[in-house]
Amino acid sequence: MLIPLLVFAGMLGTVETSPVPIFTPTEILVKHAALRENTLNGKQGPLVVRFQVGSIDSQTVLDVDHQRYQQIILHPVSGDCPNAQFYIAITPQVEKAFQRLGNDDLKQHFTGKEIEVRGQLNVTYRTIYASPTLYKYHIDISDLDQFRLVETVDTRQTDAGFPLPTWRVLAD
């Protein structure tokens, strides 16, 4: 009885799917305790995160097979707190996919852009005796489809000589 009712309601358009919440790095770090617990317990699904890229660097990663490779890291303009940080890690497979599309310099491609990515939140941490634990929250990009948006941020100068704020009202 319930299934035909749901099918009929879906045809009429009365059943709406809930929109996927879009987080900022600041919101992730504010809710980091709950997100960390859910991630470690396997209860956390993929997140959508939107931010302006602030800095881009690379790190050397040693994988399970003891192979070393360079990984590009995208840091947000803001959002770090004293004991936690958030970043996006681009795997070498995605970097090669960008090169096939003609984007050889990812640092130049992402500099000053606003991005929106979807992926699983990963948590790593570093604990040193007699110091606070540093938590690193990151999303590993292993497929180009995880990028939902890459757009240039308008940094026009006002008559006063300072850049306009980067916030915008988003409309559907």
Side-chain angles (χ1 to χ4, degrees):
M1 175 69 182
L2 183 62
I3 292 174
L5 181 63
L6 289 176
V7 170
F8 182 70
M11 290 189 308
L12 293 177
T14 57
V15 176
E16 295 182 12
T17 59
S18 61
V20 176
I22 299 174
F23 291 94
T24 64
T26 305
E27 291 172 336
I28 287 175
L29 294 178
V30 165
K31 301 175 183 177
H32 78 301
L35 288 172
R36 177 179 177 269
E37 189 67 31
N38 288 343
T39 300
L40 293 176
N41 291 335
K43 297 177 184 176
Q44 184 64 49
L47 298 177
V48 177
V49 181
R50 184 179 188 137
F51 65 91
Q52 183 179 352
V53 177
S55 64
I56 303 166
D57 58 1
S58 62
Q59 68 180 3
T60 302
V61 177
L62 180 66
D63 67 3
V64 179
D65 298 331
H66 299 289
Q67 300 293 320
R68 292 182 187 271
Y69 60 90
Q70 290 293 322
Q71 191 172 38
I72 294 178
I73 305 296
L74 305 176
H75 296 280
V77 170
S78 64
D80 286 353
C81 63
N83 295 329
Q85 61 179 217
F86 175 81
Y87 61 88
I88 300 293
I90 298 177
T91 60
Q93 297 86 356
V94 172
E95 187 175 357
K96 289 177 186 173
F98 271 113
Q99 290 172 352
R100 284 193 299 273
L101 294 173
N103 293 327
D104 293 329
D105 187 5
L106 289 184
K107 290 184 180 184
Q108 180 183 359
H109 179 70
F110 285 111
T111 299
K113 301 278 177 71
E114 183 172 355
I115 64 171
E116 185 175 296
V117 297
R118 178 184 173 103
Q120 190 69 34
L121 185 68
N122 299 306
V123 181
T124 58
Y125 57 92
R126 181 181 66 206
T127 304
I128 299 174
Y129 180 72
S131 66
T133 302
L134 174 65
Y135 293 96
K136 295 183 178 187
Y137 298 90
H138 57 96
I139 294 177
D140 293 335
I141 303 297
S142 58
D143 188 5
L144 283 177
D145 291 336
Q146 288 180 261
F147 283 102
R148 295 171 45 128
L149 171 78
V150 176
E151 67 179 14
T152 305
V153 176
D154 187 15
T155 56
R156 294 175 290 163
Q157 295 285 330
T158 62
D159 293 336
F162 56 86
L164 293 172
T166 58
W167 59 269
R168 298 190 297 288
V169 176
L170 300 174
D172 291 333

